[in-house]
Amino acid sequence: MREKDGRDRRIQGSGGCGSQGAGGSAGTEIPGTVCTACAGETAEMLAAGHHGGAASGKPGSRMSWMMRPQALFTWLAGAFLTAAWFLSRWSVDGWPVLLYALAILTGGFFVGRQALRSLRHGRLDIHVLLVLAVTGAVWLGQWFEGALVVFLFSVGELLEAWSHHRTNRSLQELLDLRPPRVTVRRGGVLQEIPAEQARPGEIFIVRPGSRIPLDGQVVKGESAVNQAPITGESLPVAKGPGDHVFAGTLNGSGYLEVRSSRPSRDTTLSRLIRLVQEAQAQRAPAERFIDRLARYYTPAIFVLGIGVAVLPPLLAQAPWDTWIYRGLAVWLVACPCALVISTPAAVVSGLGNAARHGILIKGGAHLESLARVDTVAFDKTGTLTEGHPRVADVIPAPGFSAAEVLQTAAQLEARSQHPLAAAILAAAGAPAPTWPEVRFFQQVSGNGVRGQIGSHQVFVGEPGWVWDQAECLRARSKSVPTLQEAARRLQNEGKTVMAVARRGSGEGGEGGEPVGLVAVVDALRAESLDVVAELRRSGIRHVVLLTGDHPAAARAVAARLGVTQVEAGLLPEQKLEAVRRLQRAQRRVAMVGDGINDAPALAAAQVGIAIGAAGNDMAMETAQAVLMGADLHKLPYALSLSRATLRVVRQNVAFALLSKLAALLLIFPGWLTLWMAVLVDSGATVLVTLNGLRLFWHRPAATVSAAAGVAGPGLGVPGPEAVQRAGAGSRI
């Protein structure tokens, strides 16, 4: 089923209870939590709007659960069953059987419809088995047993549907954040239009106290904006002209005019919603294994039930009615509903908890992989450091002033998106109108930038690359050794050093000359030391620093953090190879970076984790997990949550298997009745679902939870303001 706004929320058919035995099943709006066969009447409830179907577009909580059609039929069946039981105690002839029949018809209405649908598609599932079992009970004269079986099964389905609604609430909260309309200024006139009709570049207004409908850049006004749903800041963030804002965030008391930067379908919030939906539809490896098992399990149980019913009477002259009854019990107790739902119930709850805390994990497979990680590799700049570099030192070459060094570097860096560029521009001041034009600008990944200014080719970036490109060494410039020594000294202080040089643009050139050095410092995040220590306490055996910065600067940072394994001076492809070396050493690696020059390494790791990714397209697309804000404390929290999810999955699978085995063993002595069989099956399903739902309230260790804060609505927890970072290669 595809909703009106184009969101496809179908499950990829999971095959539980034999649903994939022949031809698969149609998709339903159960967001990746349970196979369609096990969902059964849950799908009927969804069609009626329980999970916010296309008709209503609202979450199921808008209408009381007690008033849903299936709920009403279930309570009516319970009333008929209760009345029939009391009348049978009073020896009232005729009426108990009639009331038992009414209980079977009302409680089994949705079950029967689903059974017919399954048979039309050639599937053998729990609904077919239940209808056969109830028919057999009635044929044997066990009216009370048949009615009680139907009622208990309907109650179990109702509770299961409620659990699916609960797991879907986080996604619905995100959907509710999107204002449907926006007020734009067209031709000097304000017009209110649907948000999807607004065009990039249009000016729209945001009134005090309203939600921002689109991503954009503030052009007029000042206000404080609550960005918790996207990035997780604990306090509103001051916004003014030039600042970026996100759709779905809440404006404070100020009036803003914003220039739209993206269409409604491509806002950060819209991409988050799509990624959450895709994550819910992806299945963990354990879930895929159980689904494959279920394809053969249900037909085998069907054959076993027939064997139990007919073989003892045929071979040992045992009573037919006794063994038919026991065969029916086999059908009821052995359905793998609890086993099939044991994994997705936990996984979707874990994904929902992560989303509430500003951590987007793209599916159960990545959640499971994160739980098995034993090595965490960090990028340095913007990950362990704040990502706000500032110029600390300027050393001019002979014949140049510090201002000339900064101006020359700033002329090129004005065209760059690297964090260092912002630091140089801030130190040099705003570009002057008299600055000459830069031609043939090129950004060289991992090294720096180059371009032509007047009659000179200018190079800014990693010192070794700059000296080589500008042919300073060939020109035997006497100032180069002095600058090289100064660069080493600054790097040993933990600073990042960029060289500036130029050479003539004519063929063959006129020899290069150094202009000077610019040293930039980027302070460590306040939480970096605590996070590294927390990772070690949580069982992470190896913490590695992979950076493109100079080895001396990298070692200075690593020493402060207590990290002993450092690889520095890496280009993006070398970071990728470093991750692969760790994997070849049998380590399960999580790579943490900002999603720009770290993209290859993020993609190669068992789990790539992008930090501060709000508004960062590459990070959201490349990484398997995204920390929407810039708070590193979310990383230990994500590890804690993933491990808790894996523990719950193992608990659920073990309980589902042991409960089925114990119930099957009780059948042969005749100790298990039909209603007890249904109670075991439905009860186990409900219990594993509720056990999975515990993950919604999972709390990490005290140190992490104190730092992570309390989740706000939708995505986001309190944390520092997210910083949008972009850059080329490994200049840091």
Side-chain angles (χ1 to χ4, degrees):
M1 184 181 299
R2 188 175 292 273
E3 296 182 280
K4 291 182 180 179
D5 63 358
R7 296 187 306 274
D8 190 348
R9 300 173 61 187
R10 289 181 290 181
I11 315 175
Q12 311 303 316
S14 56
C17 292
S19 67
Q20 293 287 321
S25 62
T28 63
E29 289 183 354
I30 308 170
T33 59
V34 61
C35 70
T36 52
C38 282
E41 290 151 29
T42 306
E44 300 293 336
M45 299 171 70
L46 287 165
H50 276 254
H51 295 270
S56 66
K58 297 293 182 181
S61 59
R62 297 295 189 266
M63 184 185 297
S64 170
W65 281 83
M66 298 300 101
M67 300 303 293
R68 299 292 180 181
Q70 187 193 12
L72 291 175
F73 275 56
T74 300
W75 309 138
L76 192 58
F80 286 139
L81 176 63
T82 302
W85 184 82
F86 276 110
L87 289 177
S88 66
R89 300 301 96 186
W90 296 339
S91 301
V92 178
D93 295 334
W95 282 102
V97 172
L98 176 61
L99 292 174
Y100 284 138
L102 290 173
I104 292 172
L105 292 175
T106 53
F109 176 76
F110 289 98
V111 179
R113 288 210 314 181
Q114 183 62 32
L116 290 175
R117 185 177 292 113
S118 298
L119 289 174
R120 283 199 302 269
H121 288 86
R123 295 195 305 267
L124 183 65
D125 59 20
I126 181 58
H127 305 91
V128 176
L129 297 181
L130 185 79
V131 169
L132 291 175
V134 171
T135 301
V138 170
W139 179 69
L140 293 173
Q142 301 292 332
W143 287 93
F144 171 73
E145 293 263 11
L148 187 58
V149 163
V150 168
F151 175 69
L152 291 175
F153 185 82
S154 296
V155 170
E157 290 282 281
L158 199 61
L159 292 174
E160 188 177 329
W162 171 83
S163 72
H164 298 322
H165 165 74
R166 181 63 184 83
T167 61
N168 201 35
R169 187 178 300 173
S170 293
L171 179 59
Q172 187 60 50
E173 288 174 350
L174 283 178
L175 295 173
D176 289 343
L177 289 175
R178 302 195 300 188
R181 301 184 70 80
V182 58
T183 301
V184 299
R185 190 185 302 279
R186 290 180 175 175
V189 179
L190 294 179
Q191 300 180 22
E192 186 176 285
I193 61 174
E196 58 269 17
Q197 293 181 10
R199 298 185 296 267
E202 285 193 301
I203 303 296
F204 64 90
I205 68 169
V206 184
R207 295 182 175 88
S210 62
R211 289 203 177 272
I212 298 174
L214 301 166
D215 286 3
Q217 187 175 32
V218 177
V219 296
K220 182 179 179 181
E222 295 182 348
S223 185
V225 176
N226 182 354
Q227 298 188 151
I230 303 297
T231 61
E233 283 88 350
S234 58
L235 298 174
V237 179
K239 298 290 183 180
D243 292 329
H244 292 274
V245 293
F246 301 113
T249 54
L250 184 64
N251 185 27
S253 57
Y255 169 87
L256 297 175
E257 293 190 10
V258 182
R259 177 177 287 109
S260 171
S261 60
R262 305 172 186 267
S264 176
R265 65 179 179 276
D266 290 331
T267 63
T268 298
L269 179 61
S270 295
R271 296 199 307 276
L272 284 176
I273 291 171
R274 286 197 296 270
L275 290 171
V276 170
Q277 290 168 338
E278 292 168 3
Q280 289 181 334
Q282 293 179 4
R283 291 173 292 162
E287 185 180 353
R288 292 195 293 267
F289 170 76
I290 291 172
D291 288 344
R292 290 194 298 270
L293 175 65
R295 297 180 186 181
Y296 309 102
Y297 179 89
T298 302
I301 289 300
F302 181 74
V303 173
L304 176 62
I306 293 176
V308 170
V310 302
L311 290 180
L314 290 177
L315 300 179
Q317 288 76 48
W320 277 96
D321 56 348
T322 299
W323 286 97
I324 289 177
Y325 186 90
R326 294 176 182 176
L328 298 177
V330 169
W331 283 351
L332 293 179
V333 79
C335 176
C337 290
L339 183 61
V340 169
I341 201 175
S342 59
T343 297
V347 167
V348 173
S349 297
L351 293 175
N353 184 310
R356 289 172 53 234
H357 287 82
I359 306 166
L360 177 60
I361 301 175
K362 299 180 181 179
H366 303 308
L367 186 66
E368 188 171 320
S369 296
L370 186 59
R372 303 179 190 278
V373 161
D374 60 12
T375 300
V376 176
F378 285 99
D379 174 45
K380 182 176 76 71
T381 302
T383 302
L384 292 172
T385 63
E386 292 180 350
H388 292 293
R390 59 178 178 83
V391 173
D393 301 275
V394 179
I395 300 179
F400 295 92
S401 67
E404 287 176 314
V405 175
L406 282 175
Q407 179 179 323
T408 303
Q411 286 176 267
L412 260 66
E413 296 290 8
R415 295 170 176 250
S416 174
Q417 294 294 315
H418 199 278
L420 290 184
I424 292 175
L425 288 171
T434 58
W435 284 6
E437 179 186 2
V438 176
R439 297 189 297 162
F440 309 118
F441 174 83
Q442 183 182 5
Q443 189 159 294
V444 182
S445 178
N447 291 301
V449 293
R450 61 189 297 172
Q452 184 169 328
I453 302 176
S455 62
H456 291 93
Q457 291 191 26
V458 179
F459 305 87
V460 181
E462 194 276 324
W465 176 79
V466 169
W467 306 144
D468 179 65
Q469 293 293 310
E471 300 181 356
C472 293
L473 299 179
R474 185 171 70 88
R476 293 182 173 85
S477 173
K478 295 180 180 179
S479 61
V480 170
T482 302
L483 292 174
Q484 288 176 324
E485 178 60 30
R488 283 191 290 269
R489 174 178 56 79
L490 293 169
Q491 288 164 343
N492 287 332
E493 295 173 2
K495 298 173 183 176
T496 299
V497 179
M498 291 178 292
V500 184
R502 68 184 189 181
R503 65 179 171 85
S505 60
E507 185 175 354
E510 59 184 39
E513 60 177 339
V515 177
L517 300 175
V518 179
V520 175
V521 64
D522 187 11
L524 278 177
R525 293 181 185 273
E527 71 270 20
S528 292
L529 184 59
D530 290 340
V531 167
V532 170
E534 179 63 30
L535 290 175
R536 295 189 186 281
R537 287 194 296 269
S538 69
I540 296 297
R541 292 186 292 171
H542 308 281
V543 178
V544 183
L545 180 61
L546 304 179
T547 178
D549 207 350
H550 190 275
R555 285 194 296 269
V557 170
R560 293 178 60 186
L561 296 174
V563 175
T564 57
Q565 188 171 350
V566 181
E567 295 192 40
L570 302 179
L571 297 173
E573 58 269 23
Q574 293 172 323
K575 286 187 181 182
L576 169 62
E577 180 56 32
V579 169
R580 288 176 173 166
R581 283 198 303 272
L582 292 171
Q583 292 170 329
R584 287 195 292 269
Q586 306 302 313
R587 297 184 187 177
R588 295 180 289 274
V589 182
M591 175 69 196
V592 187
D594 61 9
I596 305 298
N597 58 344
D598 306 307
L602 290 173
Q606 271 83 1
V607 183
I609 303 172
I611 181 171
N616 187 330
D617 294 349
M618 183 177 291
M620 294 181 67
E621 296 299 328
T622 304
Q624 292 83 45
V626 179
L627 309 183
M628 296 306 300
D631 186 3
L632 266 181
H633 280 112
K634 295 177 184 178
L635 178 58
Y637 180 84
L639 286 168
S640 170
L641 177 62
S642 65
R643 291 168 177 173
T645 301
L646 193 58
R647 286 195 301 271
V648 170
V649 166
R650 290 169 175 166
Q651 293 167 5
N652 282 353
V653 171
F655 177 76
L657 290 174
L658 291 175
S659 63
K660 298 295 183 183
L661 178 61
L664 284 172
L665 294 177
L666 294 177
I667 289 175
F668 298 99
W671 297 344
L672 192 74
T673 62
L674 292 183
W675 70 266
M676 290 172 62
V678 170
L679 190 61
V680 169
D681 176 64
S682 297
T685 301
V686 170
L687 287 176
V688 298
T689 302
L690 294 177
N691 191 41
L693 286 177
R694 288 192 305 113
L695 292 167
F696 269 113
W697 297 277
H698 169 78
R699 300 285 295 177
T703 55
V704 179
S705 60
V710 180
L715 283 172
V717 289
E721 179 176 3
V723 180
Q724 297 188 33
R725 293 178 298 277
S730 55
R731 291 163 61 188
I732 296 186

